[in-house]
Amino acid sequence: MRPFAYERATSAEDALRRHAEGAAYLGGGTNLVDLMRLGVELPSRLVDVTHLPYDQIQLDPNGGLLIGAAVSNSDLAADRTVREGHPVLAQAVLAGASGQIRNVATVGGNLLQRTRCSYFQDAAKPCNKRNPGSGCPAIEGEHHNLAILGHSEACVATHPSDMAVALAALDASVHVRGHAGERVVPIEDFYRLPGDAPERDTTLEPGDLVTAVEVPPLGMPSRYRKVRERASFAFALVSIAVALRVDGGVVRDVRLALGGVAHKPWRARRAEEALRGNPVTEEFFLRAAEAELEAAEPLRDNAYKVTLARNLIVRTLAELGEGT
Amino acid sequence: MDSEATPVKAEITLRVNGAEHRLDVDTRASLLDVLREDLGLTGSKKGCDHGQCGACTILVGGRRVNACLALAVAHDGAEIVTVEGLAEDGRLSPVQEAFIEHDGFQCGYCTPGQLCSATGMLDEAERGWPSAASEDLRVDPVLDDDEIRERMSGNLCRCGAYMGIVAAVREAAARREAAEA
């Protein structure tokens, strides 16, 4: 690992100033320290932002949440209010990583973790995300666990976060502190598709500091499901976050997002549209899944993900629909 | 000038198993490196050094963490318990005793991490924390075998002593509950 200076930020302004001088932000470090050890990240200076006052979960009277960026994944998933009002969020967080990692990893860090594409993590290999213009060996190589939607000729990586998939379904937004002040970015505008600039996972500008995640009230049943290669402590092949409101056997409201399929959490608006106002039957669930997955462009070795996503959509909707 | 080769040092204080240590550490050093190399506490093991195997699990501020991913310099003032600190007054902890009773190991390499992880996990369960195995998040979970397996999934055992490990953790959980009743 390359030597680096370590500093603690005393305020958001202080963190931004140090970043402008060349320091990289350090949260829980469960991804960054690993990437430094792998030689993927080579900061010469780290500024620790975990001591800033962003460690609280605030509940507004309507049932919305404001989750500080420094809240640990464990504390978020254990929070009674979250478990009660936004179970899909608690379930998604619990589906990720291990107990040890969740105890340290922060909400901000979870949002900003990098892809686990094996070429990105191998500093000896070309990778357009790590080294723009060097090429993407995954397209012809090992890509069984990579994207089926929204990928480009430059990058077929997937976003690894489970939490972000739930946040996409929940219409969450990200509070950002930048050089021009504070702003609130809807999660759909926060992440981006790779296009010809896969080195950028998000729309954040250099120095932007994530301070909180805002989650509006939900008020309907929700659920997160994840399919992976072993029962626990593995990244998603495909995952799904669903919230569903049924009245008189008809879908009144639905939110659906997929994980493990794209460069960002994939909000399935076409599926939602196909469901809204229609009967809660498997036939319509299947139509909705197919409407969304029509756009899928699987690679040589990951067409199974299209089937998996379809089945996961149908099954999760059926489970949620039964309980209503 | 070869600035890349020049280590950056920082002074920190760690409280480990009740004893305070002032240390001059390389900023790159993990807590695992410092425990093993500087303090001679070689119970915590370096398995994968990537947070994937759990052999380095220790308790920091009472919470189980992967010592390999924790930069020592970021833990100035931390209260740490390693496997060497689980026993009290020469008596093994209930988790340690249960691992012996149920053969919760074969080669022993993952055992210090398993012991610290189980210790931290039982505290988490006692606080009512759910897991991915919890069906209904509104109620406090009951530690059945599925819950134990899920909660211990951050600790790999290449010998495959999982049957004994789950039995040991189940026993330790039951003893803890009995002690509180």
Side-chain angles (χ1 to χ4, degrees):
Chain A
M1 200 188 288
R2 175 174 158 180
F4 58 86
Y6 170 87
E7 304 149 24
R8 276 188 191 183
T10 54
S11 66
E13 299 75 37
D14 181 53
L16 259 72
R17 186 178 54 76
R18 291 174 195 269
H19 190 283
E21 293 167 1
Y25 294 140
L26 172 69
T30 54
N31 189 207
L32 180 57
V33 171
D34 193 30
L35 291 174
M36 287 163 66
R37 195 163 284 148
L38 291 167
V40 172
E41 296 281 357
L42 303 162
S44 58
R45 198 172 153 186
L46 290 182
V47 54
D48 189 337
V49 294
T50 57
H51 300 274
L52 298 179
Y54 305 129
D55 59 347
Q56 300 291 315
I57 301 173
Q58 296 168 50
L59 177 69
D60 74 43
N62 302 321
L65 304 164
L66 188 65
I67 305 160
V71 170
S72 76
N73 285 210
S74 289
D75 286 325
L76 175 59
D79 186 272
R80 304 268 171 190
T81 315
V82 176
R83 287 156 66 180
E84 186 77 32
H86 299 84
V88 66
L89 178 56
Q91 286 171 347
V93 172
L94 292 168
S98 66
Q100 289 96 318
I101 288 174
R102 290 193 298 271
N103 276 342
V104 174
T106 63
V107 166
N110 187 319
L111 287 177
L112 295 174
Q113 63 179 305
R114 310 302 307 274
T115 186
R116 291 332 194 268
C117 173
S118 57
Y119 299 99
F120 174 76
Q121 293 194 297
D122 182 349
K125 296 280 196 322
C127 168
N128 288 324
K129 186 179 278 299
R130 176 167 33 74
N131 184 12
S134 62
C136 175
I139 291 172
E140 295 298 325
E142 175 55 50
H143 57 229
H144 82 281
N145 55 347
L146 300 180
I148 54 169
L149 285 159
H151 48 76
S152 70
E153 283 180 11
C155 182
V156 294
T158 51
H159 197 269
S161 171
D162 291 293
M163 182 187 77
V165 179
L167 292 177
L170 291 168
D171 285 323
S173 45
V174 183
H175 288 224
V176 177
R177 181 71 177 260
H179 290 291
E182 289 178 33
R183 65 187 196 280
V184 179
V185 185
I187 195 111
E188 280 197 274
D189 301 331
F190 182 79
Y191 291 110
R192 56 186 299 285
L193 290 176
D196 55 9
E199 68 276 15
R200 296 185 64 196
D201 295 348
T202 68
T203 57
L204 289 178
E205 297 296 330
D208 277 348
L209 181 69
V210 172
T211 59
V213 174
E214 186 180 335
V215 185
L218 182 60
M220 54 179 157
S222 66
R223 175 159 203 156
Y224 190 76
R225 287 187 69 100
K226 177 175 181 180
V227 180
R228 40 188 160 178
E229 286 172 330
R230 60 183 186 191
S232 183
F233 199 14
F235 290 92
L237 295 171
V238 180
S239 70
I240 185 170
V242 185
L244 183 68
R245 190 201 312 279
V246 176
D247 186 21
V250 170
V251 174
R252 297 298 173 195
D253 197 2
V254 61
R255 318 263 190 78
L256 208 156
L258 298 170
V261 295
H263 194 258
K264 63 177 192 176
W266 189 265
R267 181 71 183 264
R269 299 242 180 230
R270 287 182 185 182
E272 292 177 8
E273 204 176 308
L275 289 164
R276 223 168 261 124
N278 278 318
V280 188
T281 62
E282 198 164 314
E283 183 197 338
F284 280 93
F285 297 160
L286 193 57
R287 275 195 215 176
E290 279 168 358
E292 191 64 48
L293 296 166
E294 221 175 51
E297 291 180 295
L299 307 165
R300 183 193 64 228
D301 293 333
N302 70 1
Y304 75 95
K305 279 198 180 191
V306 180
T307 313
L308 198 53
R310 185 193 67 202
N311 292 350
L312 200 56
I313 291 171
V314 172
R315 187 166 147 194
T316 311
L317 284 166
E319 282 172 354
L320 262 185
E322 270 171 24
T324 54
Chain B
M1 189 183 83
D2 188 10
S3 64
E4 286 222 345
T6 311
V8 182
K9 297 285 225 173
E11 199 167 285
I12 61 165
T13 302
L14 297 177
R15 199 171 168 79
V16 183
N17 301 330
E20 196 163 291
H21 302 273
R22 283 191 77 74
L23 298 153
D24 195 26
V25 299
D26 187 315
T27 54
R28 292 170 294 181
S30 65
L31 279 179
L32 180 62
D33 292 332
V34 169
L35 290 168
R36 291 180 56 86
E37 309 296 331
D38 297 345
L39 299 179
L41 294 170
T42 53
S44 308
K45 296 293 186 276
K46 187 176 278 194
C48 69
D49 215 21
H50 291 287
Q52 296 172 3
C53 77
C56 67
T57 304
I58 58 170
L59 301 168
V60 177
R63 291 190 172 199
R64 54 180 173 154
V65 309
N66 298 116
C68 73
L69 292 180
L71 292 175
V73 67
H75 288 80
D76 186 22
E79 177 86 36
I80 291 167
V81 175
T82 67
V83 68
E84 290 91 344
L86 291 181
E88 278 180 37
D89 304 326
R91 270 189 69 94
L92 294 180
S93 76
V95 172
Q96 288 173 307
E97 280 180 359
F99 266 71
I100 293 172
E101 208 168 303
H102 291 274
D103 279 336
F105 43 79
Q106 184 175 314
C107 82
Y109 194 82
C110 73
T111 311
Q114 300 278 0
L115 293 169
C116 288
S117 184
T119 303
M121 183 277 270
L122 291 175
D123 286 340
E124 293 166 6
E126 201 169 286
R127 287 201 292 275
W129 287 16
S131 83
S134 311
E135 196 50 45
D136 185 351
L137 295 187
R138 289 168 299 186
V139 298
D140 283 359
V142 177
L143 272 193
D144 58 21
D145 286 2
D146 284 346
E147 284 277 2
I148 292 170
R149 285 191 197 98
E150 164 60 29
R151 287 165 192 262
M152 293 296 292
S153 71
N155 293 86
L156 303 188
C157 170
R158 299 300 295 269
C159 300
Y162 295 113
M163 297 294 281
I165 292 168
V166 171
V169 175
R170 191 197 307 129
E171 165 95 22
R175 276 196 216 168
R176 182 188 277 235
E177 208 167 302
E180 276 155 22

